[in-house]
Amino acid sequence: MVRDDQPMQRFDSVGCDLVVGTAVRATIICHERWGVMAEVLGHETVGASVDAGVIDSPSGAPRALPEEYPPVGEQVDAVVQEISRYHPPVWIRLTMRAADLHEFSWPCGCCGQLTILSPGGDGVTVDVRSSEGPGCASFAAHRSCLAGRLNPDFKGDRARVNAVGRDQPTPSAIGNESS
């Protein structure tokens, strides 16, 4: 195997602390016919957008009308709906629907049923990366679906899937890792 002495450039690490279901504040930077462009506070180097279909419409339309978009320059509450790290540039799609701000759900990549990705929910985001090069594919899963698909001998991995993001369990709750 030929190895280069140069470290691999991984664009997919940009915004790596953002996870689907995370509540964020964003500034609206411009209006488009399909929705708005935004800048996530603290993640200004990552592109972000909100489609009109995930902006509540006071008129009751299925998609917010351009005149219902938040004004340019306004800071809004949003939830990370999707993160694209497969090809550069990293891009975040946000939702501003009130229902999503309260509780954000997304289909489980294992069973297809909705899983709650908001804090306290039953879902996790799984990032798939390779040591061969940059790019990251992600999917949401119920903790139970993901843990249930792991090798039964990997008790520690199963326990970590069920614990990640929650109060960290004691080593005895994870299982005997040395065996």
Side-chain angles (χ1 to χ4, degrees):
M1 178 173 162
V2 178
R3 295 194 69 103
D4 215 29
D5 286 348
Q6 297 288 23
M8 181 184 352
Q9 297 297 313
R10 294 201 70 108
F11 73 87
D12 55 357
S13 64
V14 175
C16 64
D17 56 332
L18 288 169
V19 178
V20 173
T22 302
V24 297
R25 291 282 292 163
T27 303
I28 304 302
I29 56 174
C30 72
H31 290 180
E32 303 291 341
R33 61 177 171 59
W34 48 262
V36 299
M37 300 288 288
E39 189 173 80
V40 176
L41 301 181
H43 298 278
E44 289 78 6
T45 61
V46 179
S49 60
V50 187
D51 291 339
V54 290
I55 300 172
D56 286 329
S57 171
S59 68
R63 301 171 51 86
L65 304 171
E67 57 271 15
E68 297 173 324
Y69 296 168
V72 171
E74 183 172 304
Q75 285 191 0
V76 297
D77 291 321
V79 172
V80 176
Q81 179 181 19
E82 292 181 83
I83 304 173
S84 174
R85 292 186 180 107
Y86 194 71
H87 295 292
V90 173
W91 197 264
I92 302 169
R93 294 183 68 185
L94 302 170
T95 173
M96 293 177 6
R97 287 188 289 217
D100 291 337
L101 294 171
H102 175 69
E103 183 177 271
F104 182 71
S105 299
W106 198 253
C108 173
C110 298
C111 73
Q113 300 298 311
L114 289 178
T115 182
I116 299 170
L117 294 168
S118 300
D122 60 350
V124 292
T125 299
V126 179
D127 287 339
V128 180
R129 297 173 187 245
S130 171
S131 63
E132 295 182 60
C136 177
S138 299
F139 65 93
H142 291 101
R143 289 174 188 272
S144 58
C145 285
L146 183 58
R149 284 167 173 73
L150 294 174
N151 183 323
D153 294 335
F154 297 166
K155 292 177 180 69
D157 291 340
R158 286 172 172 251
R160 281 188 287 279
V161 164
N162 288 314
V164 70
R166 297 179 172 165
D167 290 336
Q168 295 303 306
T170 62
S172 61
I174 293 175
N176 187 349
E177 304 263 302
S178 60
S179 44

